[in-house]
Amino acid sequence: MPKEMKYEEAVRQLEDIVAKMESNELDVDSLSQQLKAAQKLIKLCKDKLSRADSDIKKILQDDNNG
């Protein structure tokens, strides 16, 4: 199993996909494939942000209780 992608890498890949779409570099088949990849990247980013938010809240809560 590949190692988990970093948030910054996922964002970079999303930016690449958007740039290709904006410059009309993609044919219909490629566009469909890239949109599916973008969906996965967006989910990965949301999950990472949600996890980070949860971790921060927990740390702050522990800090306030200590």
Side-chain angles (χ1 to χ4, degrees), residues 1 4 8 11 21-23 27 29 34 37 43 54 60:
M1 187 172 167
E4 191 173 332
E8 291 79 9
V11 170
M21 290 169 66
E22 288 177 341
S23 63
D27 59 30
D29 293 327
Q34 292 293 299
K43 182 180 181 338
S54 176
L60 292 176

Side-chain angles (χ1 to χ4, degrees), residues 43-60:
K43 182 180 181 338
L44 182 135
C45 289
K46 281 184 176 179
D47 290 348
K48 284 187 177 289
L49 289 174
S50 177
R51 214 173 313 141
D53 184 53
S54 176
D55 289 347
I56 290 168
K57 285 179 181 169
K58 185 173 186 243
I59 289 167
L60 292 176

Side-chain angles (χ1 to χ4, degrees), residues 12-27 30-31 33-35 37:
R12 244 190 320 274
Q13 285 189 24
L14 276 168
E15 289 171 346
D16 287 346
I17 291 169
V18 170
K20 286 178 187 171
M21 290 169 66
E22 288 177 341
S23 63
N24 295 319
E25 281 182 48
L26 303 170
D27 59 30
S30 296
L31 180 60
Q33 188 179 13
Q34 292 293 299
L35 285 173

